[in-house]
Amino acid sequence: TCVGQWLGARNVENARRTADAAAKVAVATIVPVAVLTAAFAPNAASIFVQDALVVDVAADYLRIVSLVFPFMAIESVFEGALIGAQRTMPAFFVTLVGSGLRVPLSLLLLPHLGVNGVWTAIALTSLFKAPAKWLAFRALRLHHHPHGAATKQQQQQLSPNDAKDDDDDERSGLGPSK
């Protein structure tokens, strides 16, 4: 990811800014999709199935879940940022807990909302996972990961031609490629 690229270049501030900018773009992009999904949910569902009952259930799902599309976008961006920063455990833990809560929450809501309780549980857990991944990323003490970039010796062992290209770049004034 871009976060990993910036950390590899030893620029922590740009890594953070990149994640924030990606989240803003993701939300700005997904909001119109969410509005259209909610507005045309039956039409979208009927593309895949003709049974009226199934179309109604699928349309309810799309309407409920489209309300949290922006949170799903934020979750996705900050999960990618965590992975790019080589910190996979926080992303894994939040996903495990958040997704794990879907079953008991669904069982709790099912008697009151029917199958829409399952869709609501999915939406509610997304409301948890997005800020949790954002907070996990914010809480990181980011730094250049020593295993993120190969040394000249490692480059030569792996690919002598790549190391030679870096030497050519240095002589031309371009510096080593990152």
Side-chain angles (χ1 to χ4, degrees):
T1 67
C2 293
V3 168
Q5 292 294 319
W6 280 118
L7 291 175
R10 294 180 171 86
N11 192 325
V12 172
E13 188 55 35
N14 276 353
R16 288 191 187 280
R17 273 190 240 152
T18 297
D20 291 340
K24 289 174 186 172
V25 169
V27 169
T29 304
I30 205 69
V31 166
V33 173
V35 169
L36 290 171
T37 299
F40 298 103
N43 303 74
S46 66
I47 292 170
F48 300 101
V49 66
Q50 303 307 311
D51 184 297
L53 180 60
V54 176
V55 168
D56 287 343
V57 171
D60 285 345
Y61 167 80
L62 291 171
R63 284 189 200 102
I64 292 168
V65 176
S66 68
L67 295 172
V68 296
F69 277 7
F71 290 91
M72 290 176 167
I74 291 167
E75 176 192 353
S76 179
V77 166
F78 285 102
E79 181 170 318
L82 286 163
I83 292 167
Q86 298 181 355
R87 306 304 202 295
T88 57
M89 286 308 291
F92 169 75
F93 180 73
V94 170
T95 298
L96 181 69
V97 171
S99 296
L101 287 172
R102 288 179 174 175
V103 173
L105 193 53
S106 293
L107 293 172
L108 181 70
L109 296 172
L110 200 59
H112 306 287
L113 301 174
V115 73
N116 285 342
V118 177
W119 315 148
T120 303
I122 291 169
L124 290 174
T125 56
S126 292
L127 292 176
F128 158 76
K129 292 192 303 181
K133 287 182 183 175
W134 176 80
L135 285 170
F137 183 72
R138 285 283 158 244
L140 290 179
R141 290 178 35 183
L142 294 177
H143 55 84
H144 168 71
H145 196 280
H147 302 295
T151 65
K152 282 255 188 239
Q153 184 180 8
Q154 289 169 327
Q155 287 178 350
Q156 288 172 343
Q157 290 172 349
L158 296 175
S159 175
N161 292 332
D162 289 342
K164 182 183 177 307
D165 290 344
D166 282 349
D167 292 338
D168 293 342
D169 288 345
E170 287 174 8
R171 282 191 292 277
S172 69
L174 296 174
S177 60
K178 297 265 182 204

